[in-house]
Amino acid sequence: MVAGALAGAAALVMLTGAVGGGGGSGPADAYWMRAEARFAPPTAFVPSPAVTYDMGLVPAAAWIQVEQRTNPSGTRVSARVKGLQPGHAYGVHVHTKPCGYTGEAAGPHYQNVASPKADPANEVWLDFTTDAKGAASASARHRWGFRAGEAASVVIHRDPGGAGDRVACFTVPFGQPVWGG
């Protein structure tokens, strides 16, 4: 219980974010954001936007950062992690709802065009394999942008590919440029 509370407190302290678009931070036809947090179990005394459901694969206090850059040519989403299980291959996707007490709370994969099949050209896949220290990074680029309010989290799956057990989730403030991307 104490470990969960401490991990939650660390998550709250480490949550940082930046959002830009229009005004002085860039052109009005661009959007960017970066958010980071430390993972905590869903039962942590101090909740975190990054939730681990499997502390063997994603230990409490492991770190995640997600960045989105959208402009008229498309959207790039990048993820970086540290402190996960070394040498493990994970599936990582953008999902439609915020994280919750269980992995299923994050809803299905975000899809540019609704389809019953998982497809990396129609979804944001950020699959990676961690190095000997449990760190990894991945990026995906698409010619489309997110629809307002329809992309809300990044889910880490046990295995790479289209789906599988959800071992962690990070609620992310995805957005779109003022032109509606």
Side-chain angles (χ1 to χ4, degrees):
M1 181 66 177
V2 172
L6 292 176
L12 185 62
V13 171
M14 291 304 297
L15 175 63
T16 61
V19 178
S25 61
D29 61 353
Y31 175 87
W32 68 269
M33 77 75 208
R34 179 183 312 135
E36 65 183 78
R38 299 247 177 216
F39 287 97
T43 57
F45 180 70
V46 178
S48 173
V51 182
T52 177
Y53 308 113
D54 182 332
M55 295 220 300
L57 291 174
V58 182
W63 173 84
I64 186 168
Q65 179 185 75
V66 174
E67 182 173 293
Q68 173 196 353
R69 293 186 178 271
T70 300
N71 61 41
S73 68
T75 297
R76 180 174 185 239
V77 177
S78 303
R80 292 180 12 188
V81 296
K82 293 180 184 175
L84 277 62
Q85 182 183 57
H88 188 84
Y90 295 86
V92 184
H93 311 101
V94 172
H95 281 246
T96 60
K97 297 183 179 178
C99 306
Y101 190 76
T102 66
E104 288 69 34
H109 293 180
Y110 175 89
Q111 294 185 321
N112 182 45
V113 177
S115 172
K117 92 175 198 182
D119 177 4
N122 190 37
E123 302 176 352
V124 178
W125 289 24
L126 301 162
D127 296 3
F128 55 72
T129 299
T130 53
D131 65 16
K133 294 182 179 182
S137 62
S139 293
R141 180 154 179 77
H142 294 285
R143 294 186 158 268
W144 42 265
F146 295 123
R147 291 178 300 278
E150 293 188 33
S153 62
V154 170
V155 171
I156 301 176
H157 296 266
R158 177 178 305 281
D159 301 305
D165 292 345
R166 298 172 185 202
V167 297
C169 182
F170 180 32
T171 299
V172 179
F174 289 114
Q176 65 184 120
V178 294
W179 48 263

